[in-house]
Amino acid sequence: MLDLRPVGYVIGLLVTVLGVAMLLPFLVAIAEGDGYWTTFAQSAVITIIAGGLIALSCSNGVKEGLTIQQTFLLTTGVWLALPVFGALPFVLGATGANFTDAFFEAMSGLTTTGSTVFSNLDTLPKGLLLWRGILQWLGGVGIIVVAMVFLPELRVGGMQIFRSEGFDTFGKILPRATEIASRISVIYLGLTLTCALSYIAAGMNAFDATVHAMTTIATGGFANYDASFGAFDPSAEYVATVFMLLAALPFVRFVQLTAGTARPLLQDTQIHAFFGTAVVIVFLIAGWTLWQSEAATELTLRKALFNTVSLLTGTGYASADYMQWGSFAVAVLFFTGLIGGCAGSTACSIKVFRYQLLFASIRAQLQKTRSPHGIFTPRYAGRTVGDDVLSSVMSFFMFFTVTLGVLAVALGMTGLDFTTSVSGAAAALANIGPGLGAEIGPAGNFANLNDTAKWLLATAMLLGRLELLAVYAILTIQFWRA
C-alpha cells in the first residue's frame, strides 16, 4: 500500500514555511497602520497550525528518500496545497475576493504565471502587494528545485537529460533537494538583492524595488500598479530586461560559476540558443515597430526590447499595449511566449532545450530520408540523445498541444470569445501571464472572466508549471496499481 506519510510530512513543513512568510506582510501592515495586520495575523496562525499538524501527524513515516510514486504525489500535492493557504490573505483582506478569485491569484503567484484578477492595484494595501510578490518569489525558487531534482528523476518531458548536471545522487531525492536548495537559495537571494538595489538606482522607492525584484527574479510579473512598468522611469525597464534574462538561465550554471567554473555557463548550447532566439525576436519586433512608426526613437526600441524579453521569459510585465502594434507583432509575440527560457531556471513555457531536441530529431530524420542506409542519431550539446529522452520530449509536445486545444475549447464553452479562449489557454498553460485582446491583454486582467473559466485556467497553470506529465501520471490507473 502506498505510504502517504512522507509526502504529507514535506507538504506540512512547506505549508508551515508559507505561514511564517505571512509574518513579513504582517509587519508591513503594522508599519503602515492601515488596519489590515489582522488579515495576516489570522492567515499566519491558520496556516502555521494546519501545516504543523499535518507534519506532526505524518512525522512517524519520514524516510531518507522517496519512492517514484511518492515523488509524483509530492510535486503535485505541494502546488495544490500551497495556493489554498496562500489564498487566505486575499479572502480575509481588503480585496473582497471570493475563494475562486483568491485561489486563482495564489495559484498564479506560486506558479509564477502572473495573471491577475485584481484591478486598481495602486490602491491595495502594501501588505497584500508584498504578499503577491512573496508568493511569486517562493514559487520561483521552488520550481527551480523541482526542475533540477524531481522532474529529471521522474523522467518527465525530457528533463532526464539534466540528471547529471552537477548534482548526481540518484535514489536520495530529499537529501539531494536539501543540498541543491541550499546552494540555489544563496544565488537566488543574491540576485534578488542585486536586482532590488538596481531598481532603487533606477528611481524606484524601496518598497516597489523589493516587490518587483521578487517578481522579476521569479519571472512572475506581478506588479504594484495597473500600468505595470509603464508607471516607472525608462531606466527601470533596462534593469528589468537584464535580470529577466539572467533569471531565465539555468541556475546550476550560477552555482558552478560561484564555485569558480565559468566554462559550463559559457559553453552551454541551451544558453546560446536562448540568447540567439531573444536577439532575433527583438530585432523582428523592433524593426516592425520602427517601420510602423517611421521614427527610430529610443522609446520605440526600449518598448520592443522590454516587452519581447518579458514574454519570452514568461515574466509577463508590460510597459506598453502591444495589441496596438499591428497583427504581425501580436502574432510574433504570441508565439514568443510559447518558447520560454532554459531548463532549471524560473522561466516557464515549453523551454528552449525541447525545441533543440525536436529540431535535432527532425534533422536526423531528414538525413535518414536522404540516405536510407546511413546511421544518424540526434545529438544535444555534443552527446547522443537516447530514445527515452526523445520519446519523452515528443510526448510533452503532444500533451501540450492537445491540452492547449482542449482547454481553449472548454474556455469557449464557458462563453469566452475565440481570442480570449485561445490566448488565455496559452497564457495559463505556458505560465506567461497576459493573454491577447482587450479583456485579458496587456492592458486588462482576468477579473471579468466567469468562475468556471478561472478554475480551468488555474488548473492549466498547475499543469504547465509541473510540465504536464508529472500531473497526468497520477491520474492513471497504472500509477495507483504500481
Side-chain angles (χ1 to χ4, degrees):
M1 182 177 178
L2 180 61
D3 187 0
L4 297 178
R5 290 175 299 173
V7 176
Y9 179 73
V10 176
I11 292 177
L13 289 180
L14 293 176
V15 169
T16 304
V17 170
L18 188 72
V20 173
M22 292 177 182
L23 298 178
L24 291 175
F26 164 76
L27 295 175
V28 169
I30 290 179
E32 287 294 307
D34 55 22
Y36 294 111
W37 62 270
T38 56
T39 294
F40 292 100
Q42 295 169 1
S43 301
V45 169
I46 294 172
T47 304
I48 292 173
I49 291 177
L53 290 176
I54 294 172
L56 185 63
S57 64
C58 298
S59 60
N60 61 340
V62 177
K63 301 177 181 178
E64 169 116 348
L66 296 175
T67 66
I68 295 298
Q69 278 180 300
Q70 291 169 336
T71 307
F72 271 108
L73 289 173
L74 177 61
T75 54
T76 303
V78 167
W79 256 263
L80 281 174
L82 294 185
V84 171
F85 291 96
L88 290 178
F90 301 127
V91 174
L92 303 175
T95 61
N98 57 32
F99 183 72
T100 295
D101 285 349
F103 183 84
F104 180 98
E105 193 79 4
M107 179 65 82
S108 178
L110 285 164
T111 57
T112 70
T113 302
S115 304
T116 185
V117 293
F118 295 148
S119 303
N120 302 317
L121 296 174
D122 314 50
T123 63
L124 286 183
K126 284 188 176 181
L128 283 177
L129 293 174
L130 177 61
W131 180 238
R132 295 167 80 243
I134 290 174
L135 284 175
Q136 291 207 322
W137 194 78
L138 293 175
V141 71
I143 201 61
I144 297 173
V145 175
V146 168
M148 293 180 59
V149 181
F150 297 102
L151 298 183
E153 195 84 8
L154 301 177
R155 311 176 77 81
V156 167
M159 288 295 295
Q160 62 265 38
I161 199 171
F162 300 107
R163 270 178 52 183
S164 61
E165 287 290 331
F167 301 93
D168 191 8
T169 53
F170 176 80
K172 297 183 178 181
I173 296 175
L174 284 182
R176 180 169 63 171
T178 303
E179 175 192 358
I180 296 177
S182 62
R183 298 191 194 182
I184 287 177
S185 296
V186 175
I187 304 294
Y188 194 72
L189 180 61
L191 282 174
T192 305
L193 291 175
T194 305
C195 183
L197 293 174
S198 300
Y199 278 142
I200 292 174
M204 286 190 189
N205 61 51
F207 179 78
D208 286 339
T210 300
V211 174
H212 286 85
M214 288 180 173
T215 59
T216 299
I217 300 303
T219 60
F222 274 164
N224 289 348
Y225 304 92
D226 289 340
S228 191
F229 264 70
F232 301 116
D233 292 338
S235 56
E237 294 181 51
Y238 290 115
V239 171
T241 299
V242 170
F243 283 96
M244 284 189 290
L245 290 171
L246 289 175
L249 302 183
F251 270 67
V252 67
R253 300 306 183 205
F254 293 136
V255 174
Q256 294 167 330
L257 183 63
T258 57
T261 307
R263 179 175 296 180
L265 177 67
L266 299 176
Q267 295 183 347
D268 193 325
T269 58
Q270 184 182 196
I271 295 176
H272 298 165
F274 170 70
F275 277 113
T277 302
V279 169
V280 170
I281 298 175
V282 167
F283 269 106
L284 272 176
I285 297 299
W288 171 262
T289 53
L290 287 174
W291 182 60
Q292 292 288 95
S293 64
E294 298 182 353
T297 65
E298 183 273 339
L299 174 65
T300 303
L301 293 172
R302 171 165 43 86
K303 297 302 182 184
L305 172 66
F306 176 84
N307 290 279
T308 299
V309 171
S310 178
L311 288 174
L312 176 63
T313 59
T315 307
Y317 288 141
S319 63
D321 185 2
Y322 45 77
M323 294 297 300
Q324 307 301 319
W325 291 358
S327 56
F328 173 78
V330 171
V332 171
L333 290 174
F334 174 77
F335 288 107
T336 295
L338 297 179
I339 297 174
C342 301
S345 70
T346 61
C348 55
S349 199
I350 293 177
K351 303 288 194 313
V352 170
F353 87 94
R354 290 196 178 95
Y355 286 103
Q356 289 179 283
L357 291 173
L358 175 65
F359 294 146
S361 178
I362 292 174
R363 183 168 56 251
Q365 189 61 43
L366 289 175
Q367 290 173 327
K368 289 180 182 178
T369 302
R370 291 195 301 266
S371 304
H373 301 293
I375 299 177
F376 305 99
T377 57
R379 302 181 68 82
Y380 176 83
R383 295 177 293 172
T384 300
V385 180
D387 291 338
D388 62 327
V389 174
L390 290 177
S391 176
S392 186
V393 169
M394 299 308 168
S395 296
F396 178 88
F397 274 106
M398 182 195 71
F399 275 104
F400 188 92
T401 304
V402 172
T403 303
L404 179 61
V406 171
L407 181 61
V409 170
L411 289 172
M413 292 175 66
T414 69
L416 303 185
D417 61 80
F418 177 80
T419 300
T420 303
S421 298
V422 174
S423 66
L429 192 61
N431 306 117
I432 301 168
L436 300 179
E439 189 167 20
I440 63 172
N445 58 47
F446 290 69
N448 294 326
L449 301 189
N450 59 76
D451 284 356
T452 302
K454 290 173 183 175
W455 281 109
L456 287 170
L457 292 171
T459 302
M461 294 176 197
L462 172 68
L463 289 170
R465 188 74 278 191
L466 295 182
E467 311 284 359
L468 287 94
L469 300 177
V471 181
Y472 283 141
I474 67 175
L475 302 179
T476 63
I477 297 176
Q478 291 81 359
F479 174 85
W480 297 100
R481 286 178 177 174

